[in-house]
Amino acid sequence: GSIEYELSSDQPPVLLVLGNSMNEAVQSTVREAMRAAGRDIDVPPSKLLLEGYKEEDLSLVQKLLPAARDALRSMPGAPFDKVCDAAGKLNVWSTVESLFQSPKIYDDVAAGRLTVQGAYCDVKTGKVQFLGEHPAQQDLLEQDPPLDVVRTASDPPVPPLEALCSLAVGNTRYAKGAGGEQGQNYVLKALAGGGQLPAAIVLGCADSRAPVEIYFDMQPGDLFVLRTAGNTIEGGYGGLLGSAEYAIAVLKSKLIVVT
């Protein structure tokens, strides 16, 4: 969301994904991959973790594990440090592939407005190796990015900063005339069957010229909208205040915006 916001605001021509050597997350993941391959003797000691935690149980380690396994397969007899460097570079490409899942980044690259490059820094020397574009970028561009994810009640709550960033990006699209119709039938069907999980509560004015969802370019299910003349809430319980409490307690919204 932060990257999309910057691209919508200033349109920088280059997006650089920078990996680095001696990355402890990568090292933890390579340790796990090498242990699973029967190379325990070649694995340096693990970092001390808080009691009850294990490296292999950390979600970040699980996310990086495919890159570590691929690196180990490509150099089965290599020492630990070499496998870590290979895994770090493979993870750069994995991140680039994830970036291409963004319709904004995909469209900008396809239109020639943006180039996505990989790089890898040796922290001992400070030297950066520029890796260029993804080796399979053309293949990535031939795969249409996924449609916007429909968030339903089964998904985890949206963190406040992520929700706020989504509103900022949407308003930037709207202000530049790039907002789109967000009421597709597939979205409404998904929400009808899966329930709602709005990212934010927006208290807005009832003024007919101030449609909240349009200003933020949000689709159905994204916002829990409360509207009253002058965007005010009377004291006491019930009414708008009770609705806001419902969205927080039941729908798990983590952000309130008054506009």
Side-chain angles (χ1 to χ4, degrees):
S2 299
I3 293 171
E4 290 176 341
Y5 175 78
E6 177 61 21
L7 292 175
S8 298
S9 300
D10 300 322
Q11 196 60 64
V14 178
L15 172 54
L16 185 69
V17 179
L18 179 65
N20 63 276
S21 65
M22 300 180 69
N23 184 305
E24 292 185 352
V26 173
Q27 290 173 344
S28 294
T29 307
V30 171
R31 269 194 290 269
E32 174 63 17
M34 292 181 75
R35 290 192 190 105
R39 292 187 55 186
D40 302 63
I41 193 171
D42 300 322
V43 177
S46 303
K47 294 286 184 180
L48 292 177
L49 300 177
L50 293 175
E51 186 177 353
Y53 288 90
K54 298 180 181 178
E55 279 186 326
E56 59 268 27
D57 295 332
L58 300 178
S59 59
L60 181 58
V61 169
Q62 294 301 315
K63 184 175 180 60
L64 295 172
L65 202 50
R69 288 170 176 162
D70 288 344
L72 192 58
R73 277 193 289 265
S74 68
M75 45 177 58
F80 178 78
D81 288 344
K82 292 291 186 183
V83 178
C84 286
D85 281 337
K89 292 175 182 177
L90 287 175
N91 188 57
V92 167
W93 297 134
S94 176
T95 300
V96 171
E97 291 167 10
S98 297
L99 289 171
F100 271 74
Q101 299 297 299
S102 161
K104 171 62 177 171
I105 294 173
Y106 176 96
D107 290 344
D108 282 355
V109 173
R113 294 186 295 269
L114 176 71
T115 178
V116 180
Q117 302 273 331
Y120 192 77
C121 177
D122 185 330
V123 298
K124 288 184 177 180
T125 65
K127 184 177 180 180
V128 173
Q129 178 187 1
F130 290 90
L131 305 175
E133 296 177 340
H134 193 290
Q137 177 168 298
Q138 191 56 45
D139 292 337
L140 294 176
L141 289 173
E142 291 176 359
Q143 305 171 22
D144 291 334
L147 295 170
D148 288 340
V149 174
V150 180
R151 188 172 48 256
T152 65
S154 61
D155 292 305
V158 180
L161 288 179
E162 182 179 331
L164 185 60
C165 189
S166 296
L167 294 177
V169 170
N171 180 249
T172 300
R173 287 195 301 268
Y174 168 79
K176 290 190 171 186
E181 289 294 331
Q182 299 294 335
Q184 300 94 332
N185 287 334
Y186 81 92
V187 175
L188 299 175
K189 289 180 180 178
L191 292 170
Q196 61 174 321
L197 189 79
I201 304 161
V202 179
L203 173 60
C205 182
D207 192 314
S208 61
R209 301 165 296 178
V212 172
E213 289 92 341
I214 293 178
Y215 278 168
F216 292 115
D217 198 33
M218 294 287 108
Q219 66 183 10
D222 283 339
L223 301 178
F224 191 85
V225 179
L226 306 174
R227 299 180 68 176
T228 182
N231 55 34
T232 59
I233 292 184
E234 297 293 334
Y237 293 98
L240 290 177
L241 185 59
S243 297
E245 291 175 339
Y246 171 81
I248 294 168
V250 179
L251 303 181
K252 304 175 185 176
S253 297
K254 303 292 185 182
L255 174 71
I256 298 178
V257 175
V258 180
T259 180

